[in-house]
Amino acid sequence: MLLTIDCGNTNTVFSLWDGETIVQTWRTSTDHRRTADQYYVWLSTLMQVRKISADVRNVVISSTVPRVVFNLRVLCDRYFDCRPLVVGKPECRLPVPPRVEEGVRPGPDRLANAAGAFQRHGGDVVVVDFGTATNFDVVASDGAYVGGVIAPGVNLSLEALHQGAAALPHVDISRPERVIGTNTVACIQSGVFWGYTGLIEGITQRIKAEYGRPMKVIGTGGLAALFAQAGDLFDEIEDDLTMYGLRVIHDYNLAIAQ
Ligand SMILES: Nc1ncnc2c1ncn2[C@@H]1O[C@H](COP(=O)(O)OP(=O)(O)O)[C@@H](O)[C@H]1O
Ligand SMILES: CC(C)(COP(=O)(O)O)[C@@H](O)C(=O)NCCC(=O)O
Ligand SMILES: [K+]
């Protein structure tokens, strides 16, 4: 079976595949101190809970936190008896190489999103990925990642507001009914929710204008569904896009090795 691991700056997500479908997804906070043994105890316990007896033979990893990769490699070596494919490393080939400035290393999550979006939609796509950062990944008609936008993430903004302003509490993000808040929490929620809605609308519009061809806008990441409530921001929402892209990259590397 294939295990895809998407390690972001906040959370690390593991998806177990059976052929073409994801059997289960598990999420833990990202912590570079977590050892291979700790990962394995956690994963195998959760598999037992779901009565899954997985024979993991292949692993593919995207990590925006370089330090965690070492222990994930040890996990693969010690418990799955395999060498993982790590997106962004020279030995991991991409179906279509990115077209960016010389020396730039795009986030592996963005490369995975591009591979997944191209397989599903055939290019001319913007992926809006809500993680620690809110990324816009532009995928050209041939499937190449060609750049995009990195904005501070929704939770990061909420946290910064709380940290920086003595009288402002930490609030959870939600869609306020009204723009004009009548209490402090409602004002913050409005600022973040409608502020990000404006950001997403404005940036996708400008990307489309600069790109000059019709584009599809795909939302992914936990908060995409919440922002879909704001109106017509996305053509589609695909929560598993990064994982799916990792699978595409895995399949491609397997095919060229044969
Ligand atoms: N479904 C959700 N509802 C609310 N908040 C979420 C949801 N999914 C993720 N988040 C929040 O968004 C932030 C970043 O999400 P995540 O996708 O895990 O980031 P990363 O991929 O950078 O680790 C986290 O603070 C997390 O709590
Ligand atoms: C922008 C990111 C931090 C987003 O990562 P995440 O929010 O998933 O943790 C990540 O894609 C990254 O580290 N990128 C490297 C720079 C670049 O993509 O140009
Ligand atoms: K991510």
Side-chain angles (χ1 to χ4, degrees):
M1 284 171 117
L2 172 68
L3 185 66
T4 50
I5 306 176
D6 171 21
C7 174
N9 282 282
T10 308
N11 289 309
T12 302
V13 187
F14 294 72
S15 284
L16 184 67
W17 293 75
D18 187 4
E20 306 275 303
T21 49
I22 293 178
V23 181
Q24 252 329 295
T25 293
W26 298 285
R27 183 176 280 262
T28 183
S29 53
T30 296
D31 180 357
H32 70 272
R33 293 165 307 180
R34 191 168 290 127
T35 66
D37 302 331
Q38 286 175 314
Y39 281 118
Y40 188 70
V41 169
W42 173 78
L43 258 182
S44 56
T45 307
L46 289 168
M47 286 184 192
Q48 275 168 24
V49 168
R50 296 276 172 210
K51 302 200 175 7
I52 296 168
S53 60
D55 184 15
V56 174
R57 288 294 171 86
N58 296 287
V59 181
V60 51
I61 300 171
S62 155
S63 180
T64 57
V65 185
R67 282 212 285 186
V68 298
V69 175
F70 177 78
N71 283 338
L72 289 173
R73 281 187 190 276
V74 178
L75 168 76
C76 296
D77 176 55
R78 193 173 291 168
Y79 294 103
F80 304 133
D81 199 21
C82 72
R83 273 171 63 96
L85 202 54
V86 181
V87 178
K89 297 284 173 204
E91 66 275 14
C92 176
R93 306 282 294 276
L94 296 169
V96 188
R99 271 197 301 281
V100 288
E101 287 172 24
E102 184 87 21
V104 169
R105 289 162 151 265
D109 53 335
R110 311 179 85 182
L111 298 173
N113 285 345
F118 183 57
Q119 182 99 338
R120 280 189 175 157
H121 303 283
D124 294 335
V125 172
V126 191
V127 178
V128 186
D129 189 341
F130 294 86
T132 308
T134 301
N135 279 359
F136 296 70
D137 310 324
V138 177
V139 188
S141 53
D142 65 347
Y145 165 84
V146 292
V149 172
I150 300 172
V154 176
N155 282 280
L156 221 53
S157 303
L158 276 168
E159 204 46 43
L161 208 53
H162 170 55
Q163 296 282 337
L168 298 188
H170 175 81
V171 303
D172 289 325
I173 175 79
S174 70
R175 180 189 191 279
E177 280 313 311
R178 294 164 47 84
V179 177
I180 305 168
T182 49
N183 60 60
T184 307
V185 168
C187 288
I188 298 172
Q189 281 174 334
S190 180
V192 173
F193 184 85
W194 295 115
Y196 269 89
T197 300
L199 180 146
I200 297 158
E201 262 166 4
I203 289 180
T204 47
Q205 246 171 43
R206 282 169 191 272
I207 286 176
K208 283 178 179 177
E210 204 168 285
Y211 192 76
R213 294 160 61 115
M215 298 179 95
K216 228 174 175 173
V217 182
I218 310 295
T220 191
L223 295 174
L226 177 71
F227 283 95
Q229 296 173 26
D232 252 2
L233 297 181
F234 313 117
D235 294 301
E236 267 168 70
I237 290 183
E238 295 181 350
D239 279 337
D240 64 345
L241 187 67
T242 311
M243 289 304 188
Y244 181 72
L246 288 178
R247 219 205 97 165
V248 170
I249 293 172
H250 166 262
D251 292 353
Y252 177 74
N253 280 267
L254 201 68
I256 58 171
Q258 278 161 5

